[in-house]
Amino acid sequence: MLFQVVTIFPELIDAFARVGLVAKSVEAGILRFEALSPRAFTSDKHNSVDDAPFGGGSGMVMLPEPLALTMEAHDRSAAAAGLSRSLRVLLTPQGRVFTQADARRLAALPGLMLICGRYEGVDERVHALVDEQISIGDFVLNGGEVAAMALIEAVSRLLPGMLGNAQSLDEESHAAGLLEYPHYTRPRSFRGHDVPAVLLSGNHAAVARWRRKQALLRTRAQRPDLFAQLALDATDRALLAEAEDEA
Ligand code: SAM
């Protein structure tokens, strides 16, 4: 999958692409990165990418023309690689909040273009040049790069071949509207807290049952909003009733 990033700090994306699983996936040809700076598409002697807002006020606003030219350069690059134009996503705290469902939807695309704002954000007319506006949460970052990297990780780990154990994706938090069950590793006893006996029993069916019950209880306790949307089956209801008896 091709990730095309529009950023005044391409070195952030270059560094990100050189570390850990992302780097391995680049080497394996699963991921490809192109980060272009709008500064390279300016014509004034200061290579300006921002200017003061019309109407006054604090902060600077990103100029639309260098952003548009950078997006078009990415389009040409995708075309040269035989790919269709990448979906253009503007990272903004005003966008729809990104979810695992978005990650799944975007992971099916051949390419994604992520436009990172800085300063007070981008000139409003840039909105007409993008396909979607996405936020990674109800808080404000200095720039879109960290948001882009979060989105890239969430999307790319769903791609075939990216993770050693693809099965773990099915059980992960948010994969099926549930938070994931608790995990334990060595030692069996840590500072007075023991690993639940069922996990040491070797009984795979009992382990699966326990994990499902823990996932249900954890989701109900920590994310009642998600729990309210679950379609519980008879087994789930029995597990929850069992937990109430145990309490
Ligand atoms: N003045 C803008 C506002 O109040 O909506 C905030 C601009 S923010 C300081 C600069 C850039 O950071 C934004 O253009 C956007 O690209 C990025 N950014 C900040 N918070 C974000 C979030 N929660 N999700 C995605 N991008 C974000």
Side-chain angles (χ1 to χ4, degrees), residues 91-94 116-121 134-137 139-144 147:
L91 280 320
T92 162
Q94 302 182 17
C116 305
R118 282 268 154 182
Y119 319 114
E120 284 305 318
I134 288 184
S135 164
I136 61 157
F139 46 81
V140 179
L141 301 163
N142 285 342

Side-chain angles (χ1 to χ4, degrees), residues 40-194:
F41 299 90
T42 53
S43 43
D44 67 317
K45 69 174 180 192
H46 299 296
N47 298 118
S48 308
V49 291
D50 60 307
D51 207 337
F54 282 125
S58 62
M60 302 294 270
V61 177
M62 290 190 83
L63 296 163
E65 184 68 10
L67 288 171
L69 291 172
T70 315
M71 291 185 229
E72 286 156 13
H74 272 317
D75 285 349
R76 285 195 294 279
S77 169
L83 297 173
S84 52
R85 163 169 125 32
S86 300
L87 188 85
R88 293 176 176 182
V89 172
L90 175 68
L91 280 320
T92 162
Q94 302 182 17
R96 206 169 39 77
V97 176
F98 185 68
T99 65
Q100 190 66 20
D102 289 311
R104 278 193 294 270
R105 175 175 60 86
L106 299 179
L109 301 174
L112 198 55
M113 196 190 303
L114 300 166
I115 298 106
C116 305
R118 282 268 154 182
Y119 319 114
E120 284 305 318
V122 302
D123 183 289
E124 188 70 12
R125 291 161 293 183
V126 170
H127 293 179
L129 307 178
V130 302
D131 301 303
E132 289 189 33
Q133 299 181 39
I134 288 184
S135 164
I136 61 157
D138 291 341
F139 46 81
V140 179
L141 301 163
N142 285 342
E145 291 76 9
V146 168
M149 289 188 256
L151 193 145
I152 291 167
E153 280 212 351
V155 170
S156 58
R157 68 199 304 284
L158 300 179
L159 298 177
M162 170 94 179
L163 296 187
N165 179 9
Q167 194 202 334
S168 66
L169 290 174
D170 300 335
E171 296 182 332
E172 263 184 346
S173 297
H174 305 294
L178 277 174
L179 303 184
E180 198 178 29
Y181 51 78
H183 297 282
Y184 294 87
T185 183
R186 286 183 296 170
R188 289 180 177 212
S189 187
F190 174 70
R191 300 188 180 184
H193 297 281
D194 294 339

